[in-house]
């Protein structure tokens, strides 16, 4: 069953402007070490960070909270499998909220997809609840 859906569209040029203005202060406030390291290795750092910004916004919407209800930017993080597939990781308050919204006998799966076409970066997040093995559906 679907527990939540969220989407966000971020402007890469706006993220670049924020990087130019605030630099590491912005990076450190919003992104995890893993996200910053990936972006630093990329030719288009702003595009990489814009996709992750959009993913965090989309995830907070899928959780039903937005970023105003105690959730921290760094409570949500995107990494990539070797195949390139993005994976959303939740910690802190975001993980607590996910646990609260997951029905008994189910596990929560957070699906995320990212795309960009300059100047836009977009993310979709779907939170799914799957029955645990041996649990009734």
């Amino acid at each position: 069953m679907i527990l939540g859906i969220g989407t966000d569209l971020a402007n890469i040029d706006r993220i670049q402007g924020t990087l130019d203005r605030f630099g590491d202060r912005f990076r450190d406030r919003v992104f995890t070490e893993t996200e910053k390291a990936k972006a630093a290795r990329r030719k288009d750092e702003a595009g990489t960070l814009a996709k992750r910004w959009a993913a965090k916004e989309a995830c907070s919407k899928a959780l039903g909270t937005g970023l105003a209800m105690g959730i921290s930017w760094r409570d949500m993080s995107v990494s990539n499998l070797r195949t390139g597939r993005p994976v959303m990781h939740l910690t802190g308050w975001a993980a607590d909220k996910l646990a609260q919204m997951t029905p008994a006998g189910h596990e929560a799966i957070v699906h995320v997809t990212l795309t960009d076409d300059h100047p836009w970066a977009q993310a979709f997040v779907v939170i799914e609840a799957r029955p645990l093995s041996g649990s009734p559906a």
Side-chain angles (χ1 to χ4, degrees):
M1 85 180 70
I2 302 298
L3 299 178
I5 300 172
T7 185
D8 193 66
L9 186 66
N11 186 289
I12 296 168
D13 293 335
R14 182 172 171 231
I15 297 296
Q16 182 63 61
T18 303
L19 287 168
D20 292 345
R21 185 169 177 200
F22 298 105
D24 285 339
R25 184 171 157 210
F26 170 65
R27 286 180 193 90
D28 294 342
R29 189 179 124 244
V30 176
F31 302 101
T32 65
E33 294 303 318
T34 300
E35 291 171 318
K36 292 186 294 184
K38 179 170 184 74
R41 293 189 307 267
R42 303 299 286 257
K43 181 178 178 183
D44 182 15
E45 178 191 19
T48 300
L49 293 178
K51 286 187 280 190
R52 279 145 183 77
W53 172 282
K56 293 166 187 271
E57 286 275 8
C59 186
S60 72
K61 293 171 186 175
L63 289 168
T65 64
L67 285 157
M69 295 179 62
I71 202 166
S72 166
W73 286 103
R74 293 171 51 96
D75 285 345
M76 300 165 288
S77 175
V78 178
S79 67
N80 295 84
L81 300 178
R82 284 188 172 172
T83 62
R85 177 179 159 215
V87 179
M88 179 67 71
H89 306 275
L90 303 181
T91 59
W93 196 90
D96 293 344
K97 176 62 178 166
L98 181 63
Q100 291 170 6
M101 63 191 288
T102 304
H106 289 73
E107 66 176 333
I109 310 295
V110 181
H111 303 277
V112 61
T113 186
L114 309 172
T115 190
D116 65 291
D117 187 7
H118 197 89
W120 301 108
Q122 186 173 31
F124 286 95
V125 171
V126 175
I127 301 175
E128 172 189 14
R130 289 186 189 160
L132 295 169
S133 298
S135 296

